[in-house]
Amino acid sequence: MSRLLFVHAHPDDETLATGVAILHHVERGDDVHVLTCTLGEEGEVIPADLAHLEGAEGDPLAVHRRAELARAVAVLGVTAHLLGVRADGDVPAYRDSGMVGSRAFGHPRALAGTELAPVAALVRSTVDEIAPDVVVTYDPQGGYGHPDHIRVHDAVRLALAEMASAPPLLVTLTPRSWVAEDRAWLAAHVPADTGYAVPSPSDPVAPSVVDDALVTHEVVDPTVVARQMEALRAHATQVVVGDGWFALSNGVVSRLAGREGYALMDPRTGELVRGVGEKRRGLLAGDA
């Protein structure tokens, strides 16, 4: 049995960004851990009956999203950790930063606004405790540029770079060809009367979308999509789940295709480790 650690900024990121890999390795019998660094206090609430939680004094959204996270990780079958505390303990050391320029970004506990070294030290303590065979987090741009995602990437890199014998680091990347396929699928399968927007072939792509050759690891497992959708439904404040797709507060749909791409990264240099030959089918060294 192998052990994997996924490090994320907010509740729901674990299922949105890496749910396929998590479920794939759980179903293989691996020991999977998720470290969440904030409680997503600045999340944009979708359901009208929960809108009163957004931006309310005392951060009631954090309490609600913590419960959502607990339900989601129970579906995923992983061991959950919060940065700086146990999953059943007090609040994490840091708070959701919101976007650059927001009032939340200036909060004294904002994750992205604090010094990097203390964040990395807390990540390092979790890595030391769990002793994973591989650590997984965002690409250097945090998937789509969220400052908390970028801070988590940087903290994971620093934590591993300072270890004498660090586990391999994998970052999330999406092959460009998959984006084209997914947009075509969405156009064919998402009814126009849903009220959600389907991205066109010419719409911009996220910074995490790269040329196919840069992706060294692929997890392709359509059998886990039903459970991924169940876990996403636990995050009801943040995600709307359709038949094979989801939408966030921006109203743009994304496909749940049962596949995710990753690449090995050198934590000391930040350089991607180029693959040789066929991509690995899984995240561990022995995966063919």
Side-chain angles (χ1 to χ4, degrees):
M1 180 176 66
S2 297
R3 187 172 296 120
L4 300 90
L5 172 62
F6 292 78
V7 188
H8 286 289
H10 314 112
D12 78 22
D13 292 335
E14 79 293 330
T15 311
L16 288 168
T18 57
V20 173
I22 286 173
L23 287 164
H24 175 79
H25 282 280
V26 166
E27 293 196 354
R28 282 188 9 165
D30 293 323
D31 182 18
V32 182
H33 295 250
V34 170
L35 173 62
T36 306
C37 297
T38 80
L39 292 177
E41 293 87 345
E42 296 299 313
E44 297 177 335
V45 176
I46 296 174
D49 62 339
L50 296 174
H52 62 281
L53 297 174
E54 187 173 332
E57 185 176 354
D59 284 339
L61 181 56
V63 177
H64 192 92
R65 293 194 71 184
R66 185 173 187 161
E68 290 184 335
L69 176 63
R71 291 192 293 271
V73 297
V75 173
L76 296 174
V78 304
T79 302
H81 308 259
L82 295 174
L83 188 68
V85 296
R86 295 287 185 177
D88 58 352
D90 200 357
V91 297
Y94 300 103
R95 187 181 185 279
D96 186 345
S97 308
M99 300 306 287
V100 175
S102 69
R103 184 176 67 175
F105 197 82
H107 192 282
R109 288 178 48 239
L111 176 63
T114 193
E115 293 183 7
L116 178 61
V119 184
L122 287 175
V123 172
R124 168 73 183 272
S125 68
T126 303
V127 174
D128 288 340
E129 175 190 349
I130 295 171
D133 297 292
V134 65
V135 176
V136 185
T137 194
Y138 314 100
D139 70 286
Q141 297 301 314
Y144 63 95
H146 194 294
D148 283 344
H149 292 202
I150 295 170
R151 176 47 52 98
V152 168
H153 168 88
D154 292 344
V156 171
R157 271 191 55 201
L158 180 57
L160 298 183
E162 293 180 339
M163 297 179 67
S165 181
L169 170 62
L170 283 162
V171 297
T172 55
L173 293 172
T174 301
R176 199 175 304 277
S177 66
W178 288 6
V179 173
E181 293 170 5
D182 289 349
R183 289 181 174 182
W185 184 93
L186 290 166
H189 290 84
V190 178
D193 61 3
T194 61
Y196 295 101
V198 175
S200 73
S202 60
D203 282 349
V205 298
S208 57
V209 177
V210 298
D211 291 340
D212 291 28
L214 295 178
V215 175
T216 56
H217 294 60
E218 294 177 351
V219 181
V220 180
D221 191 348
T223 67
V224 305
V225 171
R227 283 179 64 197
Q228 184 186 21
M229 291 169 64
E230 183 183 354
L232 284 177
R233 289 191 183 98
H235 293 292
T237 61
Q238 307 297 303
V239 188
V240 174
V241 182
D243 185 8
W245 55 268
F246 70 89
L248 303 179
S249 60
N250 62 3
V252 179
V253 295
S254 297
R255 185 184 179 191
L256 293 166
R259 59 188 182 184
E260 292 166 355
Y262 298 86
L264 277 170
M265 175 173 282
D266 184 332
R268 293 176 173 81
T269 66
E271 296 293 324
L272 295 179
V273 179
R274 300 291 178 139
V276 178
E278 293 294 320
K279 293 177 174 59
R280 288 182 179 172
R281 296 286 179 162
L283 302 185
L284 300 167
D287 292 335

